[in-house]
Amino acid sequence: MTPGMFPTRQADLALTPPRALGDGPRDAPSPGAAPPDAGPADTEAETDAVAETETDAVAEASASAGLEASGAAVDDADADVGGVLLDGVVKRYGTQTVLDVPRLHIPHRSFTVLVGPSGCGKSTGLRVVSGLETPDSGTVMINGRDVTTTPPGGRGVSMVFQDFALYPHLTVEQNIAFSLRLEAKHDRRGGPSRAEIARRVTDACEMLGLQPLRRRRPGQLSGGERQRVGVARAIVRRPGVLLLDEPLSALDAQLRQHARAELIRLHRELGNTVILVTHDQLEALSMGTHLVVMKAGRIVQAGSPSDVYRRPAHTFVATFVGSPAMNLHHVDVVSDAQGSRLTAAGMWATVPTAIPLPRVRVGWRPADGTLEPFAAGRPSEPGLSVEGTVDVIEFTGDTAVVHGISQGAAAGRSAHDLPWTVVIPARQPAPAVGERVTVRVPHTHLHLFDPDDGHRLAEGAVG
């Protein structure tokens, strides 16, 4: 990864440690910097000099780089009241409200993922938790303690940004130890000793596989290795809450998959509360134990990844979480004593309960549909039946994604078309493009939403 190719957000510029990675040529060390193979003893004077001259800047930058002034280990006594609570938190920039959270509890020791499109307020929420942003109203609680007005260094949190903000003239172990050395320098009695610093750095390096790289500089590391150094610098403080702002966005696909597994394993070993921000719904589903979906500064749904995926509370969640997205169709409703019939062009569905609306949106996951040869007629049992024509087939390895359009669109695409998508196993023979097919979905896998506000209807409406 070439330094500087992922620009830092303007709001973060004042919080990035001076001369962070990407501010200068990749392999150009600062004048007087130690050679690449220099050990701790050879560069101790240099690190002290950096700490002396950069103290003021790092005091503000420490939270964004995971270098808080006073670490806080996870406390079992906080288990009952622990975690993070945002109560009535509102953040505005001028007249624009960018965050409006009536109440959000992030469970103690959970791996919580904030997910949503760009500009939804998830990074702002993370910065409010860290103390880098102060809410205009509301309360921020961490492990039962009100930290709304507490500076970042007193919250017991560490933060890792997507640009990692490493010092290019310091080695890996010096970058990891920097905040500990800074703390020791300003608190000679209560701060960590040199032996304690060395032990913590070694533990962090062993945990993240950085031992062979300890004497290298950031310019000599790959993107994935720099990502691990950034995380190591954060966890060396033993934070009660670890904040990760899109730390994998700068990595390629294969490296992202490996890094996801590393972060999950790291959370299991540390046993602390982790809050990760991402716009990638695959990361959100695969990594989190608790999922928070955001849109336009508000919380749309929070819960376990499986619950959010299988029971979306809103059409936005239904289409944003999951790939391919959930199929959604506007349908007319006719109810009687036996249940409800849902109809649209080329589509019929029956559910065993009455729906108190004349029109709804019905949804179904592509993986819940079964592709069959074309068979005209309505379903004889409760469930959904779609007649359509295959439009596009995507082979993705283990599966194939079949895109189709309703039979009513056979004469040409129009506003009444019902496009749909179904996922089939790759070993199953795929239909030909242009072939007429039928898709069937059990009624227990149907989702009904209000056509006006998009909210999920009561479970009894499906049966």
Side-chain angles (χ1 to χ4, degrees):
M1 179 182 69
T2 303
M5 66 183 297
F6 296 95
T8 306
R9 293 181 295 274
Q10 187 66 30
D12 296 335
L13 291 178
L15 304 170
T16 304
R19 299 192 299 176
L21 184 63
D23 291 342
R26 177 184 177 103
D27 297 317
S30 302
D37 59 350
D42 299 328
T43 58
E44 185 174 303
E46 179 194 5
T47 306
D48 285 341
V50 172
E52 187 69 37
T53 58
E54 298 180 346
T55 296
D56 293 338
V58 173
E60 187 173 337
S62 58
S64 65
L67 309 174
E68 71 281 8
S70 58
V74 177
D75 187 355
D76 290 332
D78 292 328
D80 294 334
V81 295
V84 177
L85 174 66
L86 302 183
D87 191 5
V89 169
V90 176
K91 179 63 182 178
R92 300 182 182 89
Y93 293 136
T95 59
Q96 182 181 7
T97 300
V98 296
L99 190 66
D100 186 357
V101 181
R103 187 176 181 86
L104 172 65
H105 178 243
I106 294 173
H108 186 53
R109 299 184 188 275
S110 68
F111 195 128
T112 295
V113 180
L114 307 184
V115 65
S118 298
C120 71
K122 54 188 183 293
S123 291
T124 301
L126 203 69
R127 293 170 68 83
V128 166
V129 173
S130 71
L132 297 177
E133 297 281 0
T134 302
D136 295 298
S137 61
T139 303
V140 180
M141 307 282 291
I142 296 180
N143 290 333
R145 183 167 63 100
D146 187 345
V147 297
T148 309
T149 58
T150 303
R155 299 194 177 198
V157 303
S158 287
M159 194 163 185
V160 180
F161 280 103
Q162 66 185 53
D163 56 9
F164 312 137
L166 304 179
Y167 291 95
H169 59 296
L170 298 183
T171 63
V172 166
E173 62 184 357
Q174 290 168 344
N175 267 285
I176 297 172
F178 187 84
S179 64
L180 296 177
R181 293 184 59 82
L182 193 66
E183 180 183 349
K185 190 174 186 67
H186 291 278
D187 187 2
R188 296 190 180 276
R189 289 188 177 182
S193 65
R194 291 186 179 182
E196 174 68 10
I197 293 173
R199 185 181 66 81
R200 289 198 195 180
V201 171
T202 297
D203 289 346
C205 287
E206 289 179 348
M207 186 178 295
L208 293 168
L210 294 171
Q211 283 286 40
L213 310 175
R214 292 181 62 152
R215 296 189 177 184
R216 293 189 187 180
R217 290 196 178 87
Q220 299 169 317
L221 304 176
S222 68
E225 290 165 345
R226 285 199 290 266
Q227 182 258 350
R228 281 185 279 159
V229 175
V231 174
R233 186 174 56 181
I235 68 172
V236 78
R237 300 297 311 168
R238 298 178 178 174
V241 179
L242 178 61
L243 309 176
L244 307 171
D245 192 358
E246 304 205 41
L248 310 183
S249 61
L251 307 181
D252 59 49
Q254 185 173 5
L255 200 53
R256 285 166 70 101
Q257 183 177 7
H258 178 69
R260 286 199 299 265
E262 281 190 342
L263 288 176
I264 294 171
R265 189 180 303 111
L266 180 66
H267 170 250
R268 184 175 65 240
E269 294 177 1
L270 293 177
N272 59 357
T273 303
V274 176
I275 307 176
L276 180 141
V277 160
T278 182
H279 63 273
D280 187 327
Q281 53 87 27
L282 177 59
E283 284 183 15
L285 289 172
S286 63
M287 298 176 67
T289 61
H290 189 70
L291 193 60
V292 179
V293 184
M294 300 185 65
K295 178 185 179 184
R298 296 177 179 270
I299 306 299
V300 183
Q301 186 174 1
S304 68
S306 61
D307 188 55
V308 172
Y309 179 81
R310 298 186 184 281
R311 293 166 45 85
H314 194 274
T315 53
F316 171 77
V317 180
T319 54
F320 187 82
V321 177
S323 180
M326 178 180 287
N327 298 292
L328 288 173
H329 313 295
H330 285 279
V331 294
D332 296 318
V333 179
V334 176
S335 296
D336 54 29
Q338 283 71 43
S340 300
R341 297 184 298 278
L342 318 177
T343 59
M347 196 198 81
W348 300 269
T350 60
V351 294
T353 54
I355 299 174
L357 293 174
R359 191 168 174 81
V360 298
R361 295 189 76 182
V362 62
W364 51 282
R365 292 286 182 190
D368 292 333
T370 301
L371 197 65
E372 300 177 356
F374 176 75
R378 302 186 179 188
S380 58
E381 298 181 355
L384 174 141
S385 177
V386 179
E387 298 175 0
T389 303
V390 176
D391 188 29
V392 175
I393 300 177
E394 297 179 76
F395 176 73
T396 60
D398 292 335
T399 61
V401 181
V402 179
H403 300 265
I405 53 177
S406 67
Q407 188 174 3
R413 304 300 295 269
S414 71
H416 301 289
D417 288 354
L418 287 180
W420 46 263
T421 303
V422 64
V423 175
I424 63 174
R427 63 179 179 274
Q428 177 180 330
V433 173
E435 182 179 345
R436 295 184 67 186
V437 294
T438 299
V439 179
R440 302 196 188 277
V441 184
H443 75 93
T444 53
H445 291 168
L446 298 179
H447 309 260
L448 300 181
F449 302 92
D450 189 295
D452 297 322
D453 60 22
H455 288 99
R456 184 183 186 89
L457 298 181
E459 292 302 311
V462 180

